[in-house]
């Protein structure tokens, strides 16, 4: 096959009954050929759409990135089709994205040793993922693996990460999850080790992009661990894994799941620095939080706080060292209690004094 493929070549391939998904990875497309492939419409059958390469840039489809096949493959597709798909321009582009995200995780010291893993959904029950025992900073596209929803490896020569089972359990529990990132960023992991969900109402970006919960500790890579995380993905997109690390997911792209990692880590770091300034950290009001939650909902991000009343939104009581919540205490609550207690003490004192007379 030619290295440079024109629109006329693609039309000829279709006339001859060739599958356009089997274009070689190294194929260079002319602009009109790229436009043609881009315009082939995606039909996901109402199911979660595999992560779009185009979505990763935040632009709508049409930026010249390879698009997914018009009919999604499944683990039951013929092996030849799966092999062609795994080597298609679409998958090759996603493999390069995984390498790029891995490099950023490593450069930011979010991963240590061979830690961390990345998964992108590319079909009904097909997932591209990182290999085991490779530093995330130095991965190559040819290291990537293709697995089905049970974790069986269908493509790639390197062995898939053992933690893929957790990513798969998340995707099964949350049909919108098309990509997930797991790593060990030190500040967020410190909160996970301490068992503290970061307090809210301090930085808008965190409120809009992240929805955080803690999953209890289990041995990494076991179904028990995966289940405890998967149980939370209905309403949370950023899970602190106790005594381990963090996993994030996105309904748009791996890039967005990665952004969540930057956001949770920057937030936890900022909180710890703020806690050293000698003054209680201030918060914005629950009315202001409510505005952010409206933006969040419009972006399609999950959050357990939608529909809560403003008086139910303040949850900073457990944070130490202290955060000063902008929500005032319930009017009269303290005073009422004190008055009653004082009256009771007075009555008892009076009784004792009367008996002593
Ligand atoms: Zn880990």
């Amino acid at each position: 096959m030619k290295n440079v493929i024109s629109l006329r070549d693609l039309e000829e391939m279709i006339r001859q009954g060739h599958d356009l998904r089997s274009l070689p990875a190294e194929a260079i497309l002319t602009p009109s050929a790229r436009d043609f492939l881009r315009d082939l419409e995606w039909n996901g059958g109402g199911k979660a759409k595999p992560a779009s390469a185009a979505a990763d840039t935040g632009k709508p489809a049409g930026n010249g990135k390879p698009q997914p096949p018009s009919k999604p493959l499944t683990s039951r597709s013929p092996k030849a089709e799966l092999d062609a798909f795994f080597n298609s321009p679409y998958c090759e582009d996603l493999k390069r994205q995984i390498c790029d995200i891995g490099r950023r995780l490593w450069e930011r010291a979010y991963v240590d040793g061979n830690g961390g893993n990345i998964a992108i959904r590319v079909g009904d029950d097909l997932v591209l993922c990182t290999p085991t025992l490779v530093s995330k900073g130095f991965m190559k596209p040819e290291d990537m693996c293709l697995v089905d929803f049970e974790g069986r490896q269908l493509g790639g020569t390197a062995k898939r990460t053992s933690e893929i089972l957790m990513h798969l359990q998340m995707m099964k529990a949350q049909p919108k999850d098309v990509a997930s990132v797991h790593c060990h960023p030190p500040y967020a992991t410190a909160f996970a080790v301490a068992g503290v969900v970061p307090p809210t109402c301090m930085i808008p970006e965190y409120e809009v992009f992240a929805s955080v919960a803690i999953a209890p500790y289990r041995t990494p890579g076991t179904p028990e661990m995966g289940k405890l995380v998967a149980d939370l993905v209905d309403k949370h997109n950023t899970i602190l894994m106790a005594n381990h690390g963090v996993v994030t997911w996105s309904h748009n792209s791996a890039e967005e799941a990665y952004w969540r990692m930057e956001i949770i880590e920057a937030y936890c770091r900022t909180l710890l620095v703020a806690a050293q300034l000698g003054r209680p950290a201030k918060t914005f009001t629950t009315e202001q939080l409510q505005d952010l939650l409206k933006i969040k909902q419009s972006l399609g991000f999950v959050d357990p706080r939608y529909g809560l009343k403003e008086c139910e939104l303040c949850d900073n009581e457990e944070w130490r060292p202290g955060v000063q919540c902008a929500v005032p205490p319930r009017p009269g609550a303290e005073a009422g209690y004190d008055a009653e207690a004082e009256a009771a003490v007075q009555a008892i004192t009076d009784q004792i004094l009367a008996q002593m007379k």
Side-chain angles (χ1 to χ4, degrees):
M1 189 177 292
K2 294 195 320 191
N3 273 338
V4 178
I5 296 175
S6 67
L7 173 59
R8 196 171 297 167
D9 294 328
L10 292 178
E11 288 169 340
E12 186 58 29
M13 285 173 72
I14 290 174
R15 253 193 301 279
Q16 293 180 5
H18 287 297
D19 187 347
L20 294 187
R21 288 171 301 197
S22 61
L23 287 176
E26 65 276 10
I28 299 164
L29 299 167
T30 64
S32 55
R34 259 205 316 265
D35 287 349
F36 178 79
L37 284 179
R38 184 187 68 206
D39 291 338
L40 286 177
E41 211 190 331
W42 169 257
N43 174 13
K47 297 220 176 90
K49 194 175 91 168
S52 160
D56 286 359
T57 61
K59 294 178 198 152
N63 61 357
K65 291 258 191 184
Q67 294 298 294
S70 54
K71 192 167 164 288
L73 276 77
T74 74
S75 58
R76 295 167 304 286
S77 299
K79 177 154 187 348
E81 275 187 39
L82 284 169
D83 287 345
F85 174 62
F86 185 59
N87 295 307
S88 66
Y90 173 67
C91 279
E92 290 300 322
D93 186 56
L94 293 178
K95 289 176 197 172
R96 282 191 294 273
Q97 279 182 39
I98 292 177
C99 294
D100 183 56
I101 289 171
R103 185 183 46 75
R104 283 183 277 165
L105 290 174
W106 185 83
E107 283 174 352
R108 283 181 166 268
Y110 291 1
V111 286
D112 40 281
N114 297 321
N117 25 79
I118 302 161
I120 300 182
R121 190 168 179 174
V122 291
D124 277 355
D125 61 347
L126 293 173
V127 173
L128 273 184
C129 71
T130 47
T132 189
L133 299 176
V134 175
S135 164
K136 301 295 115 33
F138 303 92
M139 297 185 296
K140 296 189 282 301
E142 55 266 35
D143 296 332
M144 296 308 137
C145 312
L146 181 70
V147 297
D148 68 11
F149 257 26
E150 304 312 312
R152 287 181 289 251
Q153 189 150 350
L154 303 174
T157 48
K159 189 177 183 310
R160 53 103 172 128
T161 169
S162 61
E163 284 184 298
I164 189 62
L165 299 176
M166 173 180 74
H167 296 265
L168 296 171
Q169 280 169 285
M170 290 167 67
M171 287 175 182
K172 283 186 205 168
Q174 174 51 275
K176 284 161 67 181
D177 174 357
V178 296
S180 44
V181 173
H182 163 61
C183 62
H184 312 145
Y187 289 89
T189 302
F191 277 77
V193 168
V196 175
V197 176
T200 58
C201 294
M202 287 197 248
I203 292 181
E205 188 151 46
Y206 174 79
E207 300 302 338
V208 172
F209 287 95
S211 173
V212 179
I214 295 190
Y217 178 82
R218 292 291 186 281
T219 305
T222 59
E224 293 79 24
M225 180 71 254
K227 183 181 184 310
L228 289 168
V229 170
D231 283 348
L232 296 167
V233 294
D234 180 28
K235 299 218 166 77
H236 302 278
N237 56 29
T238 305
I239 315 295
L240 302 182
M241 300 161 69
N243 302 90
H244 182 166
V246 185
V247 61
T248 57
W249 67 270
S250 162
H251 72 280
N252 287 317
S253 64
E255 182 72 20
E256 188 179 87
Y258 167 76
W259 288 341
R260 286 214 159 92
M261 208 55 88
E262 288 192 358
I263 289 165
I264 177 77
E265 180 66 350
Y267 189 70
C268 290
R269 189 175 178 182
T270 304
L271 290 188
L272 288 173
V273 174
Q276 294 166 354
L277 293 177
R279 298 199 176 188
K282 296 195 175 104
T283 60
F284 40 74
T285 67
T286 46
E287 287 81 6
Q288 289 165 328
L289 175 61
Q290 202 69 287
D291 282 345
L292 296 173
L293 290 176
K294 279 182 202 143
I295 298 171
K296 184 176 208 168
Q297 200 160 16
S298 75
L299 293 170
F301 300 153
V302 294
D303 195 294
R305 297 171 294 180
Y306 297 144
L308 289 186
K309 294 192 202 86
E310 274 155 16
C311 61
E312 298 169 314
L313 287 174
C314 190
D315 59 358
N316 289 331
E317 284 163 26
E318 286 178 24
W319 166 248
R320 301 286 183 277
V323 169
Q324 226 165 39
C325 189
V327 180
R330 273 174 297 148
E334 293 287 331
Y337 174 79
D338 284 348
E340 261 174 45
E342 251 170 62
V345 169
Q346 191 60 54
I348 292 167
T349 312
D350 289 348
Q351 269 180 21
I352 293 170
L353 286 174
Q355 282 168 10
M356 285 169 67
K357 278 183 188 165

